[in-house]
Amino acid sequence: SEGTAEIEGKVAEFAGRMGHLPAWARNSLVFVYGAIVCPFVDFIARYRWHALTLLLFIGLFRLSDIAMGVMANPFYIDMGFSLSQIANVTKIYGAIMSVIGVLVGGSLVFRLGATPLLIPSVILLAGSNLTFSWLALVGTPDVTVLTVAISVDNFVTGLSGSVFIAFLSGLTNTAYTATQYALFTSLMTLPGKLMGGSSGWVVDQLQASSFTATHKFGGYAVFFVYTALLGLPALVLAW
């Protein structure tokens, strides 16, 4: 594009100004300028103030999913499921539903495009956490309910992942795909991991609360509702 050609010209100009430096220093600076600085400048130049809302949306899109996922295995164990039961359900049913979700998501993107699917993806991604609240309220290690919860979660994760990858790909400039996509994918998981670091503490506080004392796993049930609500900021930005 014209903008990309202009920035590439600036790289050449920058290299010319560094001509007095030793070759190793000049080459290193030109590489940093062309491979890191220019992709950032290009993204900001193309989207201007909206670049900030896009980056915020990218960071919040999977917040509910990642914050919940940290506590999934401890939850299964506390519920009383055996390691073999957890492995069988997650590795068999979970894997199959992930593949189906990816295929369905890819098909929908092909037919409708990624942008119209962002709002449904955020709703499904956050809402799937409520299946784990259901499992917590059941209160017993019911393998059927576990299978349904994990299948729904993996299907939705696969579907929304396909949609979001297509959306991120559409944001990149083909001249800087590697750097810009690396930025997006790194940012996509950062807030969720930071929030997930406190998930164990949140569960402990909820389990010890008098509000959830009437049910053995009431704290977990409320926690999964809480993680679903973490999807609201992403929903607003998707809209």
Side-chain angles (χ1 to χ4, degrees):
S1 67
E2 182 179 343
T4 301
E6 179 182 350
I7 293 175
E8 293 292 358
K10 291 180 179 179
V11 173
E13 182 184 342
F14 178 81
R17 293 200 304 270
M18 298 296 107
H20 63 285
L21 296 175
W24 67 268
R26 182 178 66 252
N27 292 339
S28 298
L29 289 173
V30 170
F31 172 79
V32 170
Y33 186 77
I36 299 176
V37 176
C38 286
F40 279 89
V41 172
D42 169 77
F43 181 73
I44 300 298
R46 283 188 295 122
Y47 294 104
R48 300 187 183 278
W49 67 268
H50 195 44
L52 297 178
T53 59
L54 284 169
L55 292 175
L56 184 61
F57 173 63
I58 291 169
L60 294 176
F61 181 79
R62 289 196 58 198
L63 179 60
S64 60
D65 173 52
I66 297 174
M68 183 281 294
V70 172
M71 293 305 300
N73 280 332
F75 169 58
Y76 303 150
I77 293 171
D78 285 349
M79 283 282 294
F81 292 104
S82 68
L83 294 179
S84 61
Q85 288 175 324
I86 297 170
N88 288 336
V89 175
T90 56
K91 301 303 181 184
I92 298 176
Y93 294 100
I96 292 172
M97 294 307 292
S98 291
V99 172
I100 294 174
V102 169
L103 293 174
V104 172
S107 177
L108 290 172
V109 168
F110 178 76
R111 293 177 177 273
L112 304 175
T115 304
L117 296 170
L118 289 177
I119 290 178
S121 294
V122 172
I123 293 173
L124 290 173
L125 203 57
S128 64
N129 291 5
L130 299 180
T131 60
F132 292 94
S133 290
W134 170 45
L135 177 59
L137 292 175
V138 169
T140 58
D142 188 318
V143 176
T144 301
V145 179
L146 176 67
T147 302
V148 172
I150 288 179
S151 296
V152 169
D153 181 63
N154 284 28
F155 173 80
V156 168
T157 300
L159 186 153
S160 61
S162 294
V163 171
F164 205 53
I165 287 172
F167 174 70
L168 295 182
S169 299
L171 295 179
T172 62
N173 184 328
T174 54
Y176 307 117
T177 301
T179 301
Q180 290 179 347
Y181 195 80
L183 164 68
F184 297 154
T185 52
S186 299
L187 183 61
M188 178 176 66
T189 59
L190 179 60
K193 288 183 177 180
L194 292 175
M195 184 73 74
S198 64
S199 291
W201 179 84
V202 173
V203 170
D204 285 343
Q205 298 305 306
L206 290 172
Q207 283 288 85
S209 170
S210 59
F211 178 72
T212 60
T214 56
H215 195 287
K216 184 177 180 181
F217 300 105
Y220 275 109
V222 175
F223 169 75
F224 293 125
V225 173
Y226 150 75
T227 59
L229 293 176
L230 291 178
L232 289 177
L235 180 61
V236 171
L237 289 170
W239 175 78

